[in-house]
Structures are given as structure tokens and as C-alpha cells.
Amino acid sequence: MFSAEIVTLPGHAGTVRSTRKADRSDVTMPGRVGDLGARSLCRISDLSTSGARLKTFQPLVPHSVIMLRLPSQPPRRARIVWADDFTAGCAFERPIDQTLLDALVAIYGFTPALPEIGMFRLP
């Protein structure tokens, strides 16, 4: 049997405080991750001006520095903040511009499909 104690930090009106520097947007975006010349494809599943969540084909090591290439962008330095098997969160060395973020989210933003029943969509 396994047990754990979970402690949340109270925010305003009972919300949980986040340590993130910026709000993240859900995306489904291709990317490339590189380290010391090796490059590998990855999937970016959320993005903000300060960082991203990556789904990779090989595990990444927390606190390591990578080069991340967003679509149609030059590679940018990022530090792996956390990693769990083939998913990792990274923080950009220099934040991306809000205009670039908005453009990428407009192209790659994730919108869940509405469930359908027969010929009718549920509201």
C-alpha cells in the first residue's frame, strides 16, 4: 500500500498558486530537440512565452540545457525543469515574444472536438 501527503499552497479565493511565469496554451505542435549536435523530433503540447511541455522519443534529464526548435524558428536554448519518462517541461533562456506565441497558437492551438450523437452535435 502507498500513501502520500499532498500539500497545496493557497492562492486567492482558495485557488492553488502556480509557480509558472506565464499562462500556457494547449497546442499540438511539431518541434525538434537537440543536445550537442544530436537532433530528435518532439511534440510540443503546451506553450507559453516562458516555456513548453515536450513529448519526446527519448528521456530528457532535469536541469540539462537543450536547443529547442519551434516551427519556422531558429533553435533556442531551454533548460529542462522537470522530466517524467518521455514528457518534460522546459523554461526558455529568453522568453519568446507574445506576438510569436499568438501566431503559433493560432496555427497549432488545440481545440477539443465536440462529441457527436448521430447527426447532431451536443452543445
Side-chain angles (χ1 to χ4, degrees):
M1 189 149 146
F2 178 82
S3 68
E5 181 178 341
I6 298 173
V7 178
T8 59
L9 300 173
H12 299 298
T15 60
V16 176
R17 283 187 350 197
S18 172
T19 58
R20 287 188 174 155
K21 294 180 180 179
D23 290 334
R24 299 261 171 128
S25 297
D26 288 334
V27 293
T28 302
M29 179 186 311
R32 286 191 176 269
V33 97
D35 182 22
L36 301 175
R39 288 186 220 142
S40 178
L41 294 174
C42 71
R43 175 77 47 201
I44 300 165
S45 62
D46 71 27
L47 181 67
S48 76
T49 56
S50 62
R53 178 187 308 244
L54 311 175
K55 296 187 180 192
T56 61
F57 291 103
Q58 58 192 34
L60 297 172
V61 179
H63 311 293
S64 63
V65 175
I66 61 166
M67 297 299 288
L68 176 64
R69 183 183 291 266
L70 301 173
S72 303
Q73 295 296 306
R76 68 182 64 249
R77 288 176 60 93
R79 182 178 50 83
I80 301 301
V81 177
W82 62 269
D84 183 19
D85 291 329
F86 300 101
T87 303
C90 69
F92 300 134
E93 186 175 86
R94 293 188 188 121
I96 64 173
D97 185 69
Q98 184 67 45
T99 305
L100 173 59
L101 174 67
D102 293 343
L104 290 171
V105 170
I107 296 167
Y108 299 102
F110 177 74
T111 305
L114 293 174
E116 294 184 21
I117 296 180
M119 296 177 57
F120 303 100
R121 285 184 183 232
L122 296 175

